[in-house]
Amino acid sequence: MRIVLLGPPGAGKGTQARRLADSTGMKHLSTGDILRAEVAAKSELGLLAKGFMDTGDLVPDSNIIAMIQQYIDDPAGVLLDGFPRTVVQAESLDNSLEEAGLPVDKVVHMSVDTDELVKRLSTRAICKNCQTPYNLESDPPAKAGVCDNCGGEVTVRDDDKPEAVLNRMKVYQELTAPVLDYYKSRGDVAEIIATGTPDSVFEKLSQAIGSGVASN
Ligand code: ADP
Ligand code: ZN
């Protein structure tokens, strides 16, 4: 099973994908998390990616496509979070999956209105070590600056600073919104209004995906 989660920055894709991976055993494939790990390791890809990420621009398609190849045919099934983010990436994913004889089974679009997104991103923090997301207002770590999950340092991402947030919204509209149209033109896209508590969004998501997956 391969599920694509689409939605603007701040829609909660990462939070929900983690939960879904926990409850189903599927592999959570977050290109943002993989890239942040590459940046932390100062790898060649990390050094290249950092400049794009800090300003909220996309890392070039060719780098991203090469990066995810090793993950997409995971036999446990894959939850794609943050990929594809351009139509070129979506076409490439289709080609790779076709070669492997594996289709995209479900596309879920999580929508949240822009005011709420900006508010969420400006109060978001993340564990540097295990990438667990927090909201400094609604869902802070028990001890300020320390991850509940692993004890790592909880900080604000460089790309959650205001200028980068605005650019990410613009990039989303220009380059990623067309990916939604790409999938819509080919078939079903499940729509979820991703406001409300994480629990209530998870319920909607599980329903959209079908009980077969959610109860595994
Ligand atoms: P969010 O969904 O909150 O914007 P992510 O953690 O998914 O953030 O991604 C952070 C940054 O990593 C993006 O702004 C972009 O620079 C880079 N990135 C992640 N996924 C991709 C992708 N598929 N293609 C190009 N760049 C990507
Ligand atoms: Zn952590």
Side-chain angles (χ1 to χ4, degrees):
M1 184 109 184
R2 271 139 311 275
I3 298 172
V4 173
L5 288 180
L6 289 175
K13 301 184 295 293
T15 302
Q16 297 299 334
R18 264 158 213 280
R19 288 188 171 211
L20 203 55
D22 282 348
S23 74
T24 61
M26 292 173 78
K27 171 99 183 146
H28 174 202
L29 179 52
S30 160
T31 43
D33 285 356
I34 297 170
L35 287 169
R36 280 184 288 279
E38 296 283 342
V39 170
K42 297 197 165 61
S43 70
E44 199 179 323
L45 173 61
L47 294 175
L48 173 128
K50 185 171 176 15
F52 295 102
M53 293 172 76
D54 285 352
T55 54
D57 289 311
L58 296 186
V59 177
D61 286 333
S62 55
N63 298 100
I64 296 290
I65 289 166
M67 179 180 92
I68 65 123
Q69 289 307 322
Q70 57 179 307
Y71 301 105
I72 51 166
D73 56 356
D74 196 304
V78 181
L79 285 165
L80 292 155
D81 160 15
F83 180 91
R85 233 181 179 93
T86 64
V87 171
V88 170
Q89 292 179 16
E91 287 169 348
S92 157
L93 177 66
D94 276 345
N95 289 337
S96 308
L97 288 178
E98 207 169 296
E99 265 169 39
L102 305 164
V104 167
D105 299 281
K106 263 285 185 246
V107 179
V108 182
H109 176 224
M110 298 172 58
S111 61
V112 175
D113 69 57
T114 310
D115 288 352
E116 167 77 14
L117 289 174
V118 172
K119 199 173 126 212
R120 284 187 187 181
L121 291 172
S122 61
T123 51
R124 179 161 80 169
I126 190 169
C127 171
K128 269 191 159 171
N129 181 46
C130 75
Q131 315 271 345
T132 297
Y134 293 92
N135 187 289
L136 297 176
E137 275 175 12
S138 60
D139 177 31
K143 181 158 182 267
V146 181
C147 179
D148 296 342
N149 186 36
C150 78
E153 187 191 351
V154 175
T155 55
V156 174
R157 274 166 46 178
D158 283 332
D159 64 347
D160 282 341
K161 311 247 157 94
E163 319 74 51
V165 166
L166 290 178
N167 191 41
R168 280 158 67 205
M169 296 297 175
K170 190 170 140 244
V171 167
Y172 181 81
Q173 284 311 325
E174 283 172 7
L175 297 172
T176 310
V179 174
L180 184 58
D181 297 331
Y182 172 89
Y183 284 120
K184 277 186 178 162
S185 75
R186 299 187 353 169
D188 240 18
V189 173
E191 291 283 349
I192 290 183
I193 311 277
T195 44
T197 63
D199 282 347
S200 72
V201 176
F202 186 65
E203 211 163 289
K204 292 186 211 173
L205 180 62
S206 302
Q207 262 170 23
I209 285 166
S211 52
V213 183
S215 63
N216 267 340

